[in-house]
């Protein structure tokens, strides 16, 4: 319905608005490093005879009241890679009424991001910024300067309006994706965001580190279609009663209401296969993954924490024994500066192995690198904390000893392994 509205709206604009005041559609996609404006769609008419990327200029102004922004990324030009005729959603057509401009995106091009990380009390963590573009067709001097619509592929397939009230009006926001055209029961994949994605806007939890990818067709195919639940914590999953990070030293304030949300969601969706509920998360979410598996050892079919923030020193031998009986695949980078592996995942994994764990795996990377091979491949290093890149893109294949993880004697990826796990009764 909203797409048809956009088409009608654009047609109306092309007839009643001056050529210098046309509107455009912004396309935002999730990439390994975060959200980026990857395309812009503009209505065209017969005054534009050809579509070449070089015929367009795209300038950007980024602003926010969260904090002072880096001058380098406040204003700038976007490189247009190429252009093509399309429909209002950017789908290529032979004779379209719209032009889609494909923009250059990269982890080092801050001007391309509609989101930014802030380390202050006003905007703690990732937040959307005001992102305004001006598009000029140089030959016709036609100008588009007003955003009328915003598309976020994958994210738009989630319902981001959900709330769960757990105490005295306090609530979790959450996003959920439901598989379509599916008969019978479907598994549930739960993703718990990191410390920088808390708040009351689930689109941040979905886009800041590409968590929406669990709804992507290539991931869904492993499960034959799966529900995806992405709860959003008001603060940080590891907060204690005083709002401080615990690292497991003391109880957090969120694990009980979070589990209540999960059980409520499962109850309200009877087509969820309760024997195939999978739980994962990064940093704070990695901590909470382990916390819930400790508190509810018979509930989840498998866990997949990355950048684990649960310190080994705060896990008792009895808790290690509890975890050793559950399927878990850890993902971490040796150079993680936020959750040092030497105090978190490495000793936890080694203790689990000594406890005779049978289905525990650990993909341990030297660095978090450019898996696309576009920006340097193995030679391009992200911040070592970003090991969730490997889980979101299903690029985990090897165990701690460097050997492939096997299911029925066949090498598998993280998602293949996870889809094969079922809760033991």
């Amino acid at each position: 319905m909203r797409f048809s509205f956009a088409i009608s709206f654009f047609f109306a604009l092309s007839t009643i608005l001056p050529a210098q005041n046309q509107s455009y559609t912004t396309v935002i996609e999730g990439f390994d490093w975060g959200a980026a404006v990857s395309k812009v769609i503009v209505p065209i008419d017969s005054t534009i005879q050809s579509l070449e990327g070089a015929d367009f200029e795209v300038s950007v102004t980024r602003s926010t009241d969260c904090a002072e922004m880096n001058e380098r990324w406040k204003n700038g030009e976007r490189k247009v890679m190429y252009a093509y005729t399309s429909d209002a959603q950017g789908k290529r057509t032979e004779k379209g009424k719209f032009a889609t401009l494909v923009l250059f995106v990269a982890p080092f091009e801050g001007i391309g991001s509609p989101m930014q990380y802030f380390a202050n009390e006003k905007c703690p963590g990732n937040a959307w910024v005001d992102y305004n573009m001006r598009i000029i067709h140089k030959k016709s001097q036609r100008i588009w300067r007003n955003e009328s619509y915003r598309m976020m592929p994958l994210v738009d397939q989630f319902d981001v309006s959900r709330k769960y009230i757990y105490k005295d009006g306090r609530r979790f926001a959450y996003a959920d994706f439901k598989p379509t055209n599916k008969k019978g029961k479907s598994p549930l994949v739960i993703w718990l965001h990191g410390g920088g994605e808390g708040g009351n806007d689930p689109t941040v939890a979905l886009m800041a580190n590409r968590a929406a990818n669990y709804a992507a067709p290539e991931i869904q195919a492993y499960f034959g279609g799966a529900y995806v639940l992405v709860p959003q914590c008001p603060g940080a999953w590891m907060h204690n009663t005083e709002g401080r990070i615990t690292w497991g030293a003391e109880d957090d304030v969120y694990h009980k209401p979070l589990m209540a949300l999960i059980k409520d969601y499962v109850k309200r969706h009877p087509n969820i296969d309760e024997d195939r509920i999978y739980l994962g998360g990064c940093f704070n979410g990695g901590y909470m993954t382990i916390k819930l598996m400790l508190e509810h050892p018979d509930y989840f079919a498998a866990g997949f924490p990355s950048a684990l923030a649960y310190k080994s020193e705060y896990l008792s031998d009895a808790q290690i024994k509890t975890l050793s009986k559950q399927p878990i695949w850890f993902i971490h980078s040796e150079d993680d500066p936020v959750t040092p592996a030497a105090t978190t995942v490495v000793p936890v994994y080694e203790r689990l192995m000594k406890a005779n764990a049978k289905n525990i795996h650990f993909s341990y990377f030297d660095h978090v690198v450019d898996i696309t091979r576009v920006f340097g491949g193995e030679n391009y290093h992200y911040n070592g904390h970003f090991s969730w890149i490997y889980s979101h893109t299903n690029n985990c294949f090897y165990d701690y000893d460097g050997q492939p993880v096997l299911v029925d004697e066949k090498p598998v990826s993280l998602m293949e392994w996870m889809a094969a796990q079922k809760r033991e009764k």
Side-chain angles (χ1 to χ4, degrees), residues 247 282-283 306-309 331-345 364-368 382-388:
W247 297 95
C282 61
F283 182 30
S306 55
L308 180 65
I331 303 101
H332 213 103
S333 182
E334 186 177 20
D335 61 348
D336 189 328
V338 181
T339 56
T343 59
T344 57
V345 68
Y364 194 34
F365 299 90
D366 294 331
H367 310 283
V368 182
Y382 288 101
N383 184 307
H385 189 47
F386 295 0
S387 56
W388 51 79

Side-chain angles (χ1 to χ4, degrees), residues 354-376:
K354 289 180 180 178
N356 297 315
K358 302 301 182 185
N359 199 2
I360 302 289
H361 306 286
F362 178 17
S363 290
Y364 194 34
F365 299 90
D366 294 331
H367 310 283
V368 182
V369 303
D370 167 33
I371 59 176
T372 69
R373 302 184 183 276
V374 172
F375 308 110

Side-chain angles (χ1 to χ4, degrees), residues 402-423:
Q403 297 302 307
V405 174
L406 304 178
V407 171
D408 295 330
E409 300 184 356
K410 296 180 179 179
V412 294
S413 65
L414 169 64
M415 294 298 143
E416 289 175 293
W417 169 85
M418 198 158 72
Q421 309 306 311
K422 290 187 177 182
R423 180 177 61 168

